[in-house]
């Protein structure tokens, strides 16, 4: 019962506290401990298929995410495409051709088992939750159930959080108009919200997703000053009248 209460506390605190500029709250180290794994990482999938680490234990899990991002291989990229769990209880038994570049690197890190769940709404994959363990073997059913609880709670944070949370919407990135208006809007949001450019783009995607807009439409609203991401306890300001500057 004590462990159940501790996990419930982790779930409650995934949503950052007021004033916390972090995108996800709670302690990933504690969450990994409660799930009986050696490390855990939550990533969000961007519109172009890349991933951004939101929440991660340090050490092996952080390195694994770096490898997957760099190599474009592994359970995370696979889950982002198929939007279905990838459970690997024994990494040494994976066919070499599945992740040829990643497998030797992951085994060198001492990873024996990897379990990756989608953060999804229907067939749309917003990100991934990856658990890793040195000892091979399947996750107990109860642990897998708890891991899904964490994944679902993280999905809720992505979908329903404020403008400092990351949620992602698909967008048509093929046109020159997209590149121009989104680039311009990203710079403006960066100034308005006081965040780096990379996070400013994530804020645009989060707003677009939550308001059922394309990123281009949201960017156009920012450039036209119909929408501002200046600090506001109720979220982005949607009245641009009288707004000056970026």
């Amino acid at each position: 019962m004590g462990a159940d209460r501790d996990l419930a506390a982790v779930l409650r605190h995934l949503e950052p506290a007021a004033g916390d500029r972090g995108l996800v709250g709670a302690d990933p180290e504690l969450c990994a401990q409660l799930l009986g794994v050696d490390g855990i990482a939550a990533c969000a999938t961007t519109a172009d298929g890349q991933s951004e680490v939101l929440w991660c234990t340090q050490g092996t899990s952080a390195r694994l995410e770096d490898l997957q991002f760099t190599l474009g291989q592994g359970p995370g990229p696979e889950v982002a495409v198929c939007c279905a769990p990838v459970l690997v209880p024994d990494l040494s038994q994976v066919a070499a051709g599945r992740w040829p570049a990643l497998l030797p690197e992951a085994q060198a890190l001492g990873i024996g088992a990897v379990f990756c769940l989608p953060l999804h709404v229907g067939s749309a994959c917003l990100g991934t939750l990856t658990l890793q363990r040195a000892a091979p073997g399947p996750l107990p059913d109860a642990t897998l159930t708890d891991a899904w609880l964490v994944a679902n709670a993280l999905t809720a944070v992505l979908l329903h959080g404020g403008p400092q949370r990351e949620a992602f919407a698909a967008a048509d990135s093929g046109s020159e108009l997209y590149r121009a208006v989104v680039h311009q809007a990203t710079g403006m949001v960066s100034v308005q919200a006081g965040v780096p450019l990379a996070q400013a783009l994530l804020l645009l995607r989060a707003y677009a997703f939550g308001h059922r807009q394309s990123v281009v439409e949201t960017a156009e609203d920012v450039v036209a000053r119909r929408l501002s991401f200046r600090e506001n306890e109720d979220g982005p300001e949607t009245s641009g009248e009288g707004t000056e500057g970026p």
Side-chain angles (χ1 to χ4, degrees):
M1 293 295 294
D4 291 342
R5 288 195 297 270
D6 288 341
L7 184 60
V10 168
L11 296 176
R12 286 196 304 272
H13 290 96
L14 287 173
E15 180 74 19
D20 186 352
R21 297 190 68 84
L23 297 172
V24 178
D27 180 2
E29 299 284 351
L30 175 59
C31 187
Q33 179 184 345
L34 293 171
L35 292 174
V37 295
D38 295 323
I40 190 170
C43 294
T45 303
T46 65
D48 59 2
Q50 300 298 325
S51 66
E52 293 286 341
V53 177
L54 303 179
W55 192 61
C56 187
T57 55
Q58 296 304 304
T60 301
S61 283
R63 180 59 181 148
L64 177 61
E65 294 307 320
D66 287 342
L67 285 170
Q68 293 189 100
F69 180 83
T70 301
L71 300 173
Q73 296 179 5
E78 196 168 294
V79 169
V81 171
C82 70
C83 201
V86 172
L87 309 178
V88 184
D90 191 344
L91 209 60
S92 68
Q93 299 302 309
V94 176
R98 186 175 181 181
W99 306 317
L102 180 80
L103 283 173
E105 297 287 346
Q107 290 172 326
L109 288 173
I111 299 174
V114 179
F115 311 95
C116 188
L117 308 179
L119 309 182
H120 72 105
V121 177
S123 61
C125 186
L126 303 182
T128 59
L129 175 68
T130 302
L131 290 66
Q132 61 81 18
R133 196 176 57 198
L139 283 179
D141 290 343
T143 301
L144 185 57
T145 297
D146 286 344
W148 275 114
L149 290 175
V150 175
N152 292 337
L154 285 165
T155 302
V157 170
L158 292 183
L159 287 174
H160 304 304
Q164 290 181 11
R165 317 299 190 264
E166 296 182 352
F168 293 80
D172 178 7
S173 59
S175 69
E176 290 298 323
L177 176 61
Y178 171 89
R179 295 189 182 98
V181 72
V182 173
H183 178 78
Q184 183 179 358
T186 299
M188 293 173 68
V189 172
S190 176
V191 173
Q192 292 167 1
V195 298
L197 288 172
Q199 188 173 342
L201 179 56
L202 300 178
L203 294 178
L204 279 176
R205 288 179 175 144
Y207 188 92
F209 189 93
H211 289 77
R212 297 183 179 276
Q213 293 181 326
S214 71
V215 176
V216 173
E217 291 171 327
T218 299
E220 289 171 345
D221 284 342
V222 172
V223 171
R225 293 179 171 78
R226 294 187 293 268
L227 175 65
S228 172
F229 282 76
R230 296 186 186 282
E231 283 197 20
N232 184 324
E233 64 181 4
D234 297 321
E237 300 171 355
T238 54
S239 172
E241 297 179 5
T243 303
E244 297 181 1

